Structures are given as C-alpha cells and as structure tokens.
Amino acid sequence: MSIDLSLDRIRELLAHFPVPYTRPTIHVAGTNGKGSVCAYVSSILAAAEPPLVVGRFNSPHLLNWLDGISIQNKPVTFDTFWPVRNEIDAINTTHDIGASNFEQYTCMALLIFERLHVDVVVLEVGMGGRLDATNVVPDECILVSALTSVDLDHQALLGDTVELITREKAAIVRKGKPFVLGPQVHRHVEAVAREIVEAVGGELLPPCSVVPVDWDENLDGPQRPAGAGIGVPILQPVQISMPAFAEPVRALLPLHGAHQYGNLGTAAGIVSALLTHPSVQLHVPDLQLRDRLTPVTIARGVRATRWPGRLSYHNITLPADPATGQEELRLTVLADGAHNPASAAALAAYLSSMLEKTSKGPLNLTYILGLSHSPPKTPVQTLGPLLAVHSQLSKTRDVRLGAALLAFTKPARMPWISAVPPATMHAAIDTLVPPSGSSFSQSESTIDIYEDEPEVPEEQVQPGADPDKQVLERPPRTEHVERALRWAAGRRREGEDALVVLAGSLYLVADFYRLLQKYEQADEIWGAN
C-alpha cells in the first residue's frame, strides 16, 4: 500500500471539526532527534511555575495509539481517546473524505488538545513536513517551528538527496514566526533551510550551545558511585547558553548519547524563542511565559525528561521456564529505536564510548534486532555501524558478539509497514561479520546468530468486533522477544560483563515494552531514563 502525501483530506476533516483548532503550537520536523526535542520541550514547559498544561503528539506511537497523544507527558486514557476516535471516524465516513489512518489520528490529537484547552501543544511531524498531516495547523496557531538533523530516509516520498528532503521538511516554516535550525551533519542543510525560511518570511534562529561539564556536588548534589561492571549511566551535568538569560542554565541531562547535546540545544532554542521573539509575546501574552519559565524551572524540566525507546535502560525479570528447566532470569536491556544508518551510527558511537569506560574484562555483547522494510535503505547500511562496535572494543578487551534476529508485530492500521525477514538480516550480517565457527575463524570478529520465525502471527479480528478497539484490548504477541531474551541470557558466562541491546525499529521496542507489560514491569517504561 502506497502513502499519498496530501493536505486536502485532513483540511476537509478539520473543516468539519465541532470546534476550530486554536491551541498555541510548537511544530518540529527532522529525520533524527525530533522526538527527543519534543520530549525536552514538553517537559520544560510542564515544569514551569505555575505549570503549563502541555499536549504532545508523537508518531509513531509505541504500544498503541494512546501513547502517541500525551498530556503532561503521560499517555491519554482510553476514556479520553475513544469518544474522539469515534467522532473523527464518523466525520470521515459521513462526508466520504477517505482520510488516511494517520490523518485521522492527527485530527484525534488536535481535537483532544482543543477540548482539553491545553496551554501549549508540541507537535511532531510524521513524515517530511510540507505535506505532512500535522502541517494543517493554521499559521496563527504556530508559535515556533524547528528542524532537527536531516538525513536520508523515506527517499521514495521525500526525494533522493538531503537537499530535496530538507526542502520538504523546512516547509513547515510560517511567515513572521521563528524557525529554529538544529545541528546538522550535512553542510548543505543550513543553506537550503535558510532559502526556504527567507522565502516565506520566517526568521531563522540557531540552536543554543550545550556543553557537558564536570559534576559539582555543591550544585548537582551527591554523585552516585559508578560501581563495577555495566550499569545504568548517571546523569550528565550540562551548561545551556540561552539568549533569554544572562548566565548559562545548569541542568542534569537524563537522556544518553552525545547527540543529545544537539537535541537539547534545539529544544533550548525553541524555549528561548518562546521567551524572546516578539511574535510569541504578541500571540500568547496571557501565558506569561517570561515569568513562568526561569533557569530553575528549565533545569527541572530537563532533568524530568523521559523519552522511552531511545537509549532507554530497562531491567526485566523473566520467570523460570519449567519446560526447559531455565531458572528465573534478570537482564538489563538497552532499548533504542535506531532505524536508519544515521541513528544506528549514533547508537554505535554511544555504545563504543560507554563500554570503553567500563572495566576492561571480557564482554558479552548481544544485539536483539528487527528492521522495517524501507528501500532504498538496506539492512547492511543500518546494521553496519552496530556490528562495527565489536572491532572498536576488541582493541582493548575480549568481546563475544551475538545477534538475535526478529520480526516485529505489524502496527495496526499501517499496512505499508513490514518487517525485514530474519533470514534477510542474517544474510546481511554474513557480509559484515563472519559467523562463529566459519572458515574465517582467523578474523578478529565472529558472531553467534539466533534466527527467529519469519514473521509474528497477526491476530484475527473477531466477527462483529471493532478492529481498533480489539487492538487496544487484546493481549499482545510477545513470545518472539522473550525467546530472544532467553537466548541472550543463555550466552552469558561467568566473569563476563554482559549487555543486551535491542534496536533496529521502534516497532520491535514496542514488542519489548509489551513484554514488560505482560510481566507487570511496565511502570518503568514512562519513568525510566
């Protein structure tokens, strides 16, 4: 099934809204980092004094549609979501609009935010920007637009060069409004974005500078001892230079990876624009943002930021398995939705840096991998950076590498999404790292492979049942993830440090989170770093 990018259908949906959409909105596009930026911004705004009521829309959702729409950084409830879902569905059907699932989902979020009369909405673009459903928000509602790191992804829909993709994404700019451009990997992005912004009459603003600093117990409190082996890393003190304040804002950064400095800088640039740009002050004077957002509240909001599935550490306990005699298992899993070469490279850089700082003893590194089929992106391109971590670490310690290859549960009402078969991933890995016991045993790198079933069985819709409601209520399929985790646990040897990294797709991360739910350990999802 193809994706038809257009604003015609969602404009018609919006025209039939029972109330017009009027919420002050922050709009964020980008290839990588836009979800993290939205998480920072919404957390900072919610930490204002007194707090602002913040609605946030992210896509794709993780577990189900509820968590893509959040109020005060918590997923909306079924009772809030379901009546609005029915209302939008009725509009679409009655007027024969033919809106896509994402267009309807976007309208559900907008109507929920309007009905709840939230103070500010933080809106993440789904794909591209110019023709993305979120770009239907009226100009007068937009406070700030932003563009995070741009890279190659979805070329079939957005263009086959970074320059063309930038044109699509930067087109969310609005006349007379600030447009924050985050740090970029590709040097052409800034010139193209500037051209688009100036043509529309927006104002291009840089991100704020964010630099790591040493821990100061007088400012940051007692520092937790590092301990032995591999554990969840501590918070990182940073200084944020914001034009809105004379002195840098000192904060404790909870999200991991060096790329988060740039994401936080973009978020801080958005917040600074809220505090300093004349258009914002004219549009929402009643919010009294300059009084409510201070260095103290901003630091509090940064520290409170949570963004599940992006370098998120989780502890899981699997019960004993009588069938195999396997005892109860406890594992620490690093879950990350890295799904393209750029995000995989960011994950690989984090792993190399973090693991080089732990002990120099033997390391058992096990990946649990699942990929979306998204040409022209290939499994080799996405998996290459992750598997190269082994070569880097092997210079200073013995490393045993393993990979469990999985399909993932197909997301509901998104038939264009499909998983790369494990056998296809296996073939890609064979070109990157020789398997253990192969004729290339003299090579520095070998890998143990576990290949799961070709696909996750789909649940059949019960006759007469509402398929959307069944998706929200049915027990999820998690057996494939549990098999992989038990295999990973079985690879551990006495005296080794061990880390399990689950990556390649947010849809696979969602399956892991559903397993946490199954074993009543899901409270950690929205509260974990």
Side-chain angles (χ1 to χ4, degrees), residues 430-450:
D430 284 347
T431 70
L432 296 165
V433 183
S436 295
S438 72
S439 59
F440 296 94
S441 57
Q442 299 299 317
S443 170
E444 294 182 356
S445 302
T446 59
I447 186 168
D448 298 326
I449 297 288
Y450 165 76

Side-chain angles (χ1 to χ4, degrees), residues 313-319 328-334 368 478 481-482 485-486 489 492 500 502 511-522 524:
Y313 286 86
H314 301 277
N315 296 311
I316 183 170
T317 300
L318 299 176
E328 181 181 85
L329 299 171
R330 293 182 177 86
L331 298 93
T332 296
V333 178
L334 174 61
I368 298 177
T478 59
V481 178
E482 183 165 353
L485 288 170
R486 291 186 180 277
R492 293 187 297 197
V500 177
L502 186 142
D511 284 342
F512 170 62
Y513 284 171
R514 294 181 184 112
L515 183 64
L516 287 174
Q517 282 187 325
K518 175 182 176 180
Y519 290 125
E520 299 182 348
Q521 299 168 40
E524 193 178 303

Side-chain angles (χ1 to χ4, degrees), residues 254-265:
L255 304 190
H256 307 301
H259 58 288
Q260 288 298 346
Y261 302 141
N263 291 336
L264 178 55

Side-chain angles (χ1 to χ4, degrees), residues 56-70 74-78 80-82 85 101-102 104-106 108-109 112-113 410-416 466-474 507 514 526:
R56 189 178 76 219
F57 179 60
N58 296 106
S59 63
H61 56 70
L62 276 176
L63 304 181
N64 54 51
W65 297 305
L66 304 183
D67 63 59
I69 304 171
S70 64
K74 297 293 183 183
V76 295
T77 64
F78 177 86
T80 297
F81 174 82
W82 194 248
R85 175 266 181 195
N101 294 323
F102 182 69
Q104 293 180 63
Y105 187 37
T106 302
M108 294 171 202
I112 286 171
F113 297 148
K410 291 184 178 180
R413 293 185 26 158
M414 298 174 71
W416 60 88
D466 186 312
D468 290 345
K469 193 170 186 180
Q470 183 174 314
V471 165
L472 291 172
E473 295 177 341
R474 73 188 181 195
Y507 304 117
R514 294 181 184 112
W526 304 108

Side-chain angles (χ1 to χ4, degrees), residues 35-264:
S36 297
V37 169
C38 289
Y40 285 124
V41 172
S42 59
S43 185
I44 290 170
L45 296 179
E49 188 61 49
L52 293 158
V53 179
V54 184
R56 189 178 76 219
F57 179 60
N58 296 106
S59 63
H61 56 70
L62 276 176
L63 304 181
N64 54 51
W65 297 305
L66 304 183
D67 63 59
I69 304 171
S70 64
I71 306 294
Q72 299 303 75
N73 302 305
K74 297 293 183 183
V76 295
T77 64
F78 177 86
D79 290 341
T80 297
F81 174 82
W82 194 248
V84 174
R85 175 266 181 195
N86 291 337
E87 199 168 351
I88 296 299
D89 183 67
I91 292 173
N92 186 53
T93 302
T94 300
H95 298 281
D96 194 26
I97 296 173
S100 70
N101 294 323
F102 182 69
E103 290 161 352
Q104 293 180 63
Y105 187 37
T106 302
C107 280
M108 294 171 202
L110 298 180
L111 186 52
I112 286 171
F113 297 148
E114 186 63 42
R115 287 262 174 80
L116 294 177
H117 208 72
V118 302
D119 292 319
V120 182
V121 169
V122 181
L123 197 63
E124 179 187 355
V125 169
M127 183 187 300
R130 180 175 64 92
L131 297 177
D132 184 74
T134 61
N135 208 30
V136 75
V137 172
D139 287 1
E140 59 269 20
C141 294
I142 298 296
L143 300 177
V144 184
S145 304
L147 180 61
T148 66
S149 178
V150 177
D151 217 309
L152 292 173
D153 207 3
H154 304 297
Q155 291 98 303
L157 295 164
L158 304 179
D160 57 5
T161 68
V162 169
E163 291 84 354
L164 288 173
I165 293 172
T166 302
R167 289 187 176 278
E168 291 293 321
K169 293 181 181 292
I172 65 169
V173 62
R174 306 304 173 95
K175 183 177 180 180
K177 303 296 177 71
F179 183 94
V180 178
L181 180 64
Q184 300 296 325
V185 175
H186 301 282
R187 59 185 179 87
H188 300 300
V189 171
E190 181 175 352
V192 174
R194 184 178 298 278
E195 175 190 338
I196 298 296
V197 171
E198 290 179 352
V200 171
E203 183 178 353
L204 189 72
L205 299 177
C208 293
S209 170
V210 175
V211 294
V213 294
D214 292 335
W215 192 282
D216 185 332
E217 292 199 351
N218 294 320
L219 299 173
D220 306 317
Q223 185 173 14
R224 189 187 69 199
I230 297 173
V232 178
I234 59 175
L235 302 166
Q236 172 63 55
V238 295
Q239 284 191 340
I240 314 166
S241 298
M242 301 178 65
F245 304 111
E247 299 294 330
V249 175
R250 187 182 184 96
L252 295 177
L253 181 60
L255 304 190
H256 307 301
H259 58 288
Q260 288 298 346
Y261 302 141
N263 291 336
L264 178 55

Side-chain angles (χ1 to χ4, degrees), residues 295-306:
V296 171
T297 67
I298 289 170
R300 186 166 63 216
V302 171
R303 181 167 185 168
T305 303
R306 300 293 182 265

